[in-house]
Each structure stands twice: as C-alpha cells, then as structure tokens.
Amino acid sequence: MQRRSAGASIGRIFKSSARGKSKLQGLRKGFRKRLVQLKEASGPHLFGEAVYAEDKKESDSPAQPSDVRATEYTLGIQEQFSFGLGAKFSYKQGKYDLIGANPAFLLASAAHFYRSTPQLELNFPVLKIF
C-alpha cells in the first residue's frame, strides 16, 4: 500500500506541475500579446543628448589650435513604424572653442563659434531576416 500511495503522490506532483506549466505558458502568451500591443500603440518618442569633448595636445603647426573644446546638445523625436521604417528628426546646437591657435593664421572671432543643424534620419531594412 505504501507503493500505491507513493505512486499516487507522484501522479499528483506531475498533474500539479503540468497545471503550473500550462499557467506559465498562458502567462508567456499574454505577455507576448501585450508586448505586441505596446509596440503597435507606441507613438513618437522624445530623445535628447548632451556631449562635452575636450582635446588638448601639442599642435603640429602654428595654424592649428592646441586646445579644442566642443559642447553639443541634441533634442528630437523618433518613431519606429510597423512596416520597418525608422524616422528621427532632431536639432543639434553646438558651441566650439579653438584655443591656442596663432592669431596670424586664425582670427580671434573665428576661434569661438556656434553651429546649429536640423537632422532628418530615415532607416529602412532592405532585407528582413526572420
């Protein structure tokens, strides 16, 4: 009789693990379905970036500056469409300082300048690998 009760308890363990496994599979399916819904419902996203760079080195010629500093800020929107196209539109504002150049080769007003540029980036996969 002990064998039978042990066999019955093993059977119950298998049945309960099968129920747990089916519940887990159901949760996975629900999660995947919700993830697809979120991807489809998502609209454009706002993104931003800030960069500071500094390059100090001995200049090779008197016309080259010995210290270059750049500060850039980017702000834009991006969206990934369901048919594969990815689009980004952003605006970049940058301030650049060229320090240490010989004034005979580089005017003082040209040593510090700003650059502003709008950017449009479109990405589309030509070959889609499944």
Side-chain angles (χ1 to χ4, degrees), residues 24-99:
L24 183 61
Q25 288 174 348
L27 286 173
R28 285 182 184 161
K29 286 180 183 177
F31 179 72
R32 286 184 187 144
K33 185 177 179 182
R34 181 66 180 144
L35 189 60
V36 168
Q37 289 174 348
L38 286 173
K39 283 184 178 179
E40 290 174 357
S42 65
H45 300 283
L46 184 68
F47 71 94
E49 181 181 15
V51 177
Y52 176 78
E54 188 171 343
D55 183 16
K56 291 184 179 183
K57 62 181 176 183
E58 292 293 324
S59 62
D60 295 331
S61 74
Q64 292 179 337
S66 61
D67 186 7
V68 178
R69 296 178 188 170
T71 306
E72 296 179 342
Y73 301 100
T74 304
L75 184 65
I77 57 172
Q78 66 182 4
E79 185 168 3
Q80 182 71 38
F81 296 96
S82 60
F83 57 90
L85 177 69
K88 285 184 179 182
F89 179 73
S90 62
Y91 187 78
K92 183 185 284 189
Q93 174 73 38
K95 178 185 180 218
Y96 305 92
D97 298 316
L98 309 175
I99 301 167

Side-chain angles (χ1 to χ4, degrees), residues 2-18:
Q2 288 183 359
R3 288 182 139 213
R4 192 173 238 198
S5 65
S9 64
I10 291 174
R12 276 187 255 131
I13 290 171
F14 282 133
K15 284 182 182 178
S16 66
S17 68

